[in-house]
Amino acid sequence: MKTYLKTILLVLLPCLATAQDTTITNAQNAFYNNVDSAKLSLSKANDDTAKVPLLIELSTAYLVYQADTSIRYAQRAISLARQLDYKKGEAQGMYIYGYALWISGNYDKAIEIALKALDLYKGLQDVKMIAGSYLQLAVLYRDIGDYKQALKYGFLSKKIFDPLILPPGQSLIISSIYLLTNQIDSASFYIEEASDMLKQYKIETGNLQYLYGDVEVKKKNYKEALSYYWSGIPICINQLNYLDLVYLYNSIAQLYYETGNIDSSVYYAKKVLNVSQFTSYQRGAFEAFTILTKDYKLNQQNDSTIKYLELSIALNDSLFSKEKTRAIQNLTFNEQLQQQEKTQQQKEFQNKIKLYSLLAALFVFLLIASILWRNNRRKQKLNTLLQKQKEQIQSTLTELKSTQAQLIQSEKMASLGELTAGIAHEIKNPLNFVNNFSEVNTELIEDLKAELATGNQQEAIKIADDIKDNEQKINHHGKRADAIVKGMLQHSRTSSGQKEPTDINALCDEYLRLSYHGFRAKDKNLPTGQAGFNAKIDTAFDNSIGRINIIPQDIGRVLLNLYNNAFYAVNERLRQACLPDRQAQPDSQYEPSVSVSTKKINDKVELRVKDNGNGIPQKVVDKIFQPFFTTKPTGQGTGLGLSLSYDIIKAHGGEIKVESKEEGSIFIIQIPVV
């Protein structure tokens, strides 16, 4: 259902009329189709709040064309809304009712109803429709000639509408009032303001054109005025905007009268009467009768003069009778009196509020003074107690910091302990080579002596070369053992905090092997009877990375934590794959797997550590980097490994995150290259 407010704005502000039909016949067909549809809906509606908007829609539909019918539907809407105590519906009905009375020329009653609608909207605190009611009153007071009141309500409406950024109805109405009071500069200002807003909304309107034309008439620029009037006519015809068309034809007729072109004046005044058959707007017909009376009088056509004079007088009495004028004056006076009473009541209320506020402030002051006096007595006692508590808290804080440092060191030493077995395994290989080659060299030396004794110099030289090769191998494996020991010492000592160029691929590979061998040494036998822990290890290192500036001890600790967690995860899944009797072999379909990869992405290096273990439950994923949080059983984890890793990566300007599914987890580290 169309909203009645939008339709009313189309009537009040012809600049907003946007009918799309291009012929009167099509418009009439559309009108009757809409009315029939609304009537059908109305016949099926119950007497509840849903029926009120249907009555208002019908009243709106008939507003321009059949004002009497519009009034009847508005009255029915108001009556039903009152029965239902539906204040919004009553206010809407009053608002439409006021415009129907305005169209039919019943100004005194229209002002009375408009004031009631305004009070209802104020009660509902509907800011938009309060502004609409103010604008309605501005139009009514303009048409009865009370321009002071009209401007008052026009600016009240504009003050509320401006923040809402609505189309420029207020500016158009205010400019029309200034034109009627011959304030051409003010009128031009608000016409231009309205024009700018109409361009913003991409709206064409005949209303704006006749206002421009009226300004030129005031300046005696009749040719320019006619140009504006002519440009407005096709717009109104295309939009079927009969109200603006009446204004334009009357303005043209009046212009021709002023310039002495009486035949043209008569022609356009009668066109107003032809257009009036499509509207109930009485004011337009009255102005046309007045112009025709003057035209025929100037042409000394007495019969026609008398005819249109009588019609003009009759319509004038209907529109502006003394009784209606007095009624309007009484309404205006009563409204002003009510406003004065409200202002006085507000002042009295504000004075009472001030008095009560002063008394309350005095009471609060005395209460605060009493509380302060009591508190002052307690303050000295509390200060002593607080000082003791402060000392205790300071002592506790010192202990906590010491404990925290010890926990962190404990975590480092725990990771060092896990490395020990792996380091021992790594050292064992080069030491075996050293021992083996040393034994071989001992035997070769004996052979060398024998050959020298027999004078076989050529064979002695070959044996010497073999001894030299073995010595080089002993030296190589000795340096390898030395490097492993240095790596262990580097991991165990406190970090210097200095970054240095480091081969990240070598670092990843070194700690991967140490972690793996350490885990295998720690968990030698599975509950299934399988000898030792084994896992598939995959590496994919990007050789284009080269060396990057990092603190190798710290990044090594991060890698060690991630590798240990990965091997722990796949080992746990391997254990869970066993049958409950602990006698069967693990699931043959499951093979523990840990993969490590590096990749250069723009100005960052990305490290990925992936396992195919049980994964991390989604409900705890966000907590794993918190200090002291661990998913391991009690006694098997401190909850500091990932927390320290998080801090280390952040200190390097990077980030660490985890992606976990039902089977496996991926830890992703990104570190800036520089």
Side-chain angles (χ1 to χ4, degrees):
M1 184 180 70
K2 299 177 181 177
T3 59
Y4 82 99
L5 293 177
K6 180 178 179 182
T7 309
I8 282 302
L9 285 175
L10 298 182
V11 174
L12 173 60
L13 311 176
C15 65
L16 298 181
T18 55
Q20 299 300 313
D21 305 281
T22 57
T23 66
I24 293 177
T25 302
N26 289 341
Q28 290 173 331
N29 290 337
F31 166 74
Y32 287 118
N33 288 337
N34 290 335
V35 167
D36 291 341
S37 176
K39 285 182 178 179
L40 180 62
S41 299
L42 182 66
S43 66
K44 297 178 181 179
N46 297 322
D47 286 342
D48 55 20
T49 54
K51 190 172 183 178
V52 175
L54 290 171
L55 290 167
I56 292 170
E57 183 180 0
L58 281 167
S59 177
T60 303
Y62 281 110
L63 185 62
V64 175
Y65 305 103
Q66 298 178 29
D68 292 342
T69 305
S70 176
I71 288 172
R72 287 198 298 273
Y73 280 113
Q75 289 172 336
R76 286 179 61 186
I78 294 167
S79 176
L80 179 58
R82 285 174 175 171
Q83 291 176 22
L84 300 171
D85 194 25
Y86 181 30
K87 294 297 182 183
K88 182 178 179 181
E90 183 181 357
Q92 293 169 346
M94 286 287 187
Y95 186 71
I96 299 294
Y97 189 16
Y99 275 120
L101 292 167
W102 167 68
I103 288 286
S104 61
N106 198 346
Y107 296 123
D108 56 334
K109 186 66 175 176
I111 291 174
E112 178 185 351
I113 296 301
L115 289 170
K116 289 181 179 179
L118 176 61
D119 285 339
L120 287 168
Y121 280 125
K122 285 181 177 179
L124 293 167
Q125 297 183 339
D126 188 336
V127 177
K128 185 175 179 180
M129 289 313 301
I130 290 172
S133 294
Y134 281 145
L135 198 58
Q136 186 180 47
L137 287 165
V139 173
L140 293 169
Y141 277 109
R142 179 199 66 183
D143 283 5
I144 65 171
D146 191 343
Y147 304 128
K148 182 178 179 181
Q149 285 290 105
L151 281 174
K152 166 190 159 184
Y153 285 115
F155 281 113
L156 282 172
S157 176
K158 184 173 175 60
K159 183 178 180 181
I160 299 176
F161 264 15
D162 272 355
L164 302 179
I165 318 176
L166 291 174
Q170 306 81 2
S171 299
L172 291 171
I173 298 301
I174 291 170
S175 64
S176 69
I177 298 168
Y178 277 129
L179 277 171
L180 292 169
T181 57
N182 293 316
Q183 300 181 61
I184 299 174
D185 291 341
S186 296
S188 298
F189 173 81
Y190 286 104
I191 291 172
E192 290 300 329
E193 183 178 78
S195 177
D196 291 341
M197 294 184 70
L198 287 167
K199 289 177 183 177
Q200 178 184 345
Y201 286 92
K202 298 181 180 179
I203 296 173
E204 285 190 330
T205 169
N207 182 287
L208 185 67
Q209 300 306 312
Y210 79 69
L211 286 174
Y212 272 129
D214 287 352
V215 169
E216 297 303 325
V217 168
K218 295 288 184 182
K219 296 178 180 179
K220 306 299 182 183
N221 297 328
Y222 297 116
K223 184 176 180 181
E224 289 81 357
L226 268 177
S227 177
Y228 280 118
Y229 292 150
W230 292 130
S231 64
I233 289 173
I235 296 173
C236 293
I237 292 174
N238 287 337
Q239 296 178 347
L240 302 176
N241 187 347
Y242 302 129
L243 294 182
D244 275 358
L245 199 57
V246 166
Y247 293 142
L248 282 166
Y249 283 152
N250 270 330
S251 296
I252 294 171
Q254 180 63 30
L255 185 150
Y256 278 131
Y257 170 77
E258 291 183 16
T259 56
N261 193 340
I262 303 304
D263 291 341
S264 295
S265 178
V266 169
Y267 174 79
Y268 282 101
K270 287 186 176 181
K271 284 184 76 70
V272 172
L273 301 180
N274 290 333
V275 173
S276 294
Q277 64 181 306
F278 301 109
T279 173
S280 300
Y281 186 51
Q282 296 296 308
R283 182 64 177 265
F286 167 72
E287 291 176 355
F289 289 151
T290 303
I291 294 170
L292 286 169
T293 300
K294 293 189 295 183
D295 288 336
Y296 285 121
K297 181 179 180 181
L298 199 61
N299 278 350
Q300 297 181 354
Q301 294 176 259
N302 295 332
D303 292 342
S304 297
T305 301
I306 292 170
K307 170 186 173 183
Y308 287 106
L309 178 61
E310 289 175 348
L311 291 171
S312 176
I313 291 171
L315 199 49
N316 182 67
D317 289 341
S318 173
L319 295 173
F320 308 109
S321 65
K322 291 182 179 180
E323 292 78 7
K324 289 187 176 183
T325 302
R326 282 195 296 272
I328 292 171
Q329 290 172 347
N330 289 335
L331 285 169
T332 305
F333 176 76
N334 290 334
E335 175 65 14
Q336 292 173 345
L337 189 62
Q338 288 178 6
Q339 292 298 326
Q340 291 175 358
E341 288 176 354
K342 288 180 180 179
T343 303
Q344 183 63 30
Q345 289 174 359
Q346 288 175 352
K347 287 182 179 179
E348 292 176 357
F349 178 74
Q350 289 172 355
N351 289 334
K352 287 181 180 180
I353 292 296
K354 289 179 181 178
L355 177 61
Y356 293 148
S357 298
L358 288 173
L359 292 173
L362 179 61
F363 174 77
V364 171
F365 175 77
L366 293 173
L367 181 63
I368 292 173
S370 174
I371 293 171
L372 288 174
W373 179 74
R374 293 180 60 190
N375 287 345
N376 191 46
R377 295 184 62 187
R378 298 175 57 190
K379 186 175 180 180
Q380 295 179 350
K381 295 179 180 179
L382 290 174
N383 282 341
T384 303
L385 180 61
L386 287 173
Q387 185 62 31
K388 291 181 180 179
Q389 290 177 344
K390 179 182 177 182
E391 292 173 357
Q392 292 175 355
I393 291 171
Q394 189 66 39
S395 175
T396 303
L397 181 60
T398 303
E399 292 176 2
L400 283 174
K401 288 182 178 178
S402 175
T403 303
Q404 184 182 32
Q406 291 174 7
L407 283 172
I408 293 173
Q409 185 61 27
S410 174
E411 173 64 21
K412 293 179 180 178
M413 296 309 295
S415 63
L416 178 62
E418 292 177 353
L419 271 179
T420 302
I423 291 171
H425 180 275
E426 288 292 296
I427 292 177
K428 186 177 179 180
N429 284 335
L431 289 180
N432 284 339
F433 279 112
V434 169
N435 292 335
N436 291 337
F437 284 119
S438 295
E439 291 175 1
V440 170
N441 276 0
T442 300
E443 294 176 0
L444 288 174
I445 288 172
E446 292 299 326
D447 292 341
L448 177 62
K449 289 179 180 180
E451 294 297 333
L452 288 174
T454 59
N456 192 349
Q457 186 177 1
Q458 187 174 2
E459 188 64 29
I461 292 172
K462 289 182 180 180
I463 294 172
D465 289 339
D466 291 339
I467 293 172
K468 182 180 178 181
D469 290 340
N470 289 343
E471 285 298 323
Q472 289 177 349
K473 292 177 182 177
I474 290 171
N475 181 264
H476 169 74
H477 290 291
K479 288 181 178 180
R480 170 64 182 151
D482 180 64
I484 293 170
V485 172
K486 284 182 179 179
M488 179 182 69
L489 293 174
Q490 189 179 50
H491 179 81
S492 63
R493 72 179 182 224
T494 303
S495 170
S496 64
Q498 294 296 322
K499 292 183 179 180
E500 56 186 78
T502 305
D503 186 340
I504 191 67
N505 292 337
L507 192 69
C508 290
D509 186 59
E510 179 79 13
Y511 277 91
L512 178 61
R513 287 187 290 103
L514 292 177
S515 175
Y516 177 59
H517 291 305
F519 200 87
R520 293 188 72 230
K522 183 177 68 173
D523 200 359
K524 294 182 178 179
N525 293 295
L526 293 173
T528 60
Q530 180 180 347
F533 168 76
N534 287 291
K536 179 183 178 183
I537 297 177
D538 293 319
T539 58
F541 297 137
D542 186 350
N543 294 323
S544 66
I545 296 175
R547 292 179 175 270
I548 62 174
N549 285 327
I550 58 172
I551 304 173
Q553 301 99 312
D554 290 349
I555 297 300
R557 291 190 181 104
V558 173
L559 292 170
L560 187 62
N561 284 326
L562 298 185
Y563 294 155
N564 288 343
N565 287 344
F567 288 126
Y568 176 85
V570 297
N571 190 38
E572 284 300 300
R573 183 176 176 188
L574 186 61
R575 290 174 180 273
Q576 293 171 8
C578 300
L579 295 176
D581 59 9
R582 299 291 184 180
Q583 299 300 318
Q585 293 296 320
D587 182 0
S588 59
Q589 299 299 319
Y590 176 66
E591 180 184 9
S593 174
V594 175
S595 62
V596 182
S597 65
T598 60
K599 185 178 181 181
K600 187 174 182 181
I601 303 175
N602 298 327
D603 59 344
K604 294 181 179 180
V605 171
E606 182 179 273
L607 286 73
R608 288 178 173 254
V609 179
K610 179 180 178 182
D611 66 74
N612 65 344
N614 290 323
I616 303 170
Q618 288 298 320
K619 62 182 180 180
V620 300
V621 166
D622 296 334
K623 301 179 182 179
I624 62 172
F625 294 112
Q626 296 177 5
F628 307 110
F629 179 83
T630 180
T631 58
K632 296 178 181 178
T634 304
Q636 294 189 28
T638 63
L640 287 173
L642 288 177
S643 174
L644 290 174
S645 299
Y646 181 87
D647 293 338
I648 290 170
I649 297 302
K650 284 295 181 183
H652 278 74
E655 62 177 338
I656 179 172
K657 59 184 179 180
V658 62
E659 296 177 359
S660 182
K661 301 179 181 178
E662 291 183 1
E663 295 185 357
S665 302
I666 305 175
F667 281 86
I668 304 169
I669 298 174
Q670 287 189 338
I671 306 174
V673 173
V674 180

